[in-house]
Amino acid sequence: MDIWAWLWIGWLALFALVEGVALARKAPGDTLSEHVWRWFAIGEPGKRPRVTGWVRLRRFALLAGLAWLVLHFLTGGLF
């Protein structure tokens, strides 16, 4: 394995460690999901933050990025 494979494995291991600690603590606002929900103004029904143009732009960027990533993986890098 080359250095890049080890770096990606390390990055994934670090993510698993951070998320694992956050899940074990059970404190509000420390998991990746909770941060994503806050960053993109997604909340519980009745408690949702105000949706502004800036929030719509961030949501679009997230959707476009995830759509590209799925296409990129499924097409072998054609996109």
Side-chain angles (χ1 to χ4, degrees), residues 7-27:
L7 289 171
W8 281 111
I9 290 169
W11 183 85
L12 291 170
L14 182 60
F15 170 77
L17 176 69
V18 170
E19 189 70 9
V21 169
L23 289 170
R25 285 178 25 143
K26 297 185 187 330

